[in-house]
Amino acid sequence: TQTKKKSTWASVNIPIPAGWDGTIVGGGRNEYQIQPAAEGAKVIGTSLYCFMAFLPDSYEVGLNDVAKQNKASIYACDSYDVFHSWKSAKAGWDTGEATLSNTDVFINVWDNMLNSGKFLTADWTVKVDADAVLLPDRLKSHIAGLRPPAGMPIYLKNNAMDPGLGNNGFLGAIEVFSKQAVEIYRDNKE
């Protein structure tokens, strides 16, 4: 027995395991919008731990250097780290299109970030690509205006692109997570 998995890029036959009776185990992982904290209730602060990974011997080195010299981007956050990445391979689709196969790079960078432990000292963790523009003070102002309730695992959507692209309002150039969200990732990543 097979079913079809459809995405923006391709339709693929997915085999159903023998003996599976259709029971869904573990429930859904649907997203939901967190409502602002009530007046007088505790909110998550606005301190930022930011990190960047860049590819040595690439244009990203110069971008990182300029940001550092100007105390801009991650260098204007409350704390920061810089990690090195490596060149990713490309994987082909049955449509003839190719995309980067960079999951191992992301996992390594996130493991390095977790091992640094600096995310525990800030309210928010922000992953920033070297070629992205981050204005930490503006992000802090935006977060304060959202009034996120204290203790909640939250990620901030960062775009309003066409939902048909499958990104659900979340692109990787700048990723913003509450400390509680990063702790959940850390505790469940294996």
Side-chain angles (χ1 to χ4, degrees):
T1 307
Q2 291 191 345
T3 187
K4 285 246 188 235
K5 177 181 178 183
K6 295 181 180 179
S7 74
T8 303
W9 306 107
S11 178
V12 180
N13 287 325
I14 305 296
I16 295 176
W20 182 58
D21 65 2
T23 302
I24 297 173
V25 180
R29 294 185 180 199
N30 294 331
E31 66 180 38
Y32 54 93
Q33 185 171 336
I34 301 292
Q35 296 303 311
E39 276 307 313
K42 286 188 174 189
V43 296
I44 300 175
T46 61
S47 63
L48 304 177
Y49 161 65
C50 302
F51 71 98
M52 173 190 303
F54 67 87
L55 183 63
D57 301 320
S58 75
Y59 73 95
E60 294 175 340
V61 173
L63 295 173
N64 177 63
D65 291 346
V66 168
K68 187 173 185 177
Q69 290 166 3
N70 290 289
K71 294 183 172 76
S73 187
I74 68 167
Y75 299 100
C77 293
D78 299 292
S79 60
Y80 61 85
D81 273 318
V82 177
F83 305 106
H84 287 171
S85 62
W86 62 87
K87 191 167 181 141
S88 299
K90 287 195 174 190
W93 294 83
D94 59 356
T95 61
E97 296 293 322
T99 187
L100 289 178
S101 175
N102 53 5
T103 304
D104 54 341
V105 175
F106 288 130
I107 290 171
N108 180 269
V109 169
W110 277 82
D111 284 348
N112 286 327
M113 180 277 297
L114 292 172
N115 290 335
S116 85
K118 289 183 184 177
F119 77 94
L120 293 168
T121 66
D123 300 309
W124 298 87
T125 294
V126 185
K127 193 281 293 178
V128 183
D129 285 356
D131 55 1
V133 175
L134 172 69
L135 304 170
D137 286 341
R138 189 164 178 186
L139 177 57
K140 287 181 175 192
S141 176
H142 178 70
I143 290 170
L146 293 173
R147 297 190 43 77
M152 294 296 297
I154 297 173
Y155 75 88
L156 299 183
K157 288 191 171 191
N158 59 18
N159 77 78
M161 291 180 66
D162 177 1
L165 293 175
N167 63 44
N168 291 323
F170 189 73
L171 292 176
I174 297 176
E175 301 171 8
V176 183
F177 303 90
S178 68
K179 178 174 24 183
Q180 292 75 16
V182 177
E183 288 175 321
I184 288 172
Y185 168 73
R186 177 200 61 200
D187 295 345
N188 295 280
K189 69 185 187 76
E190 298 301 323

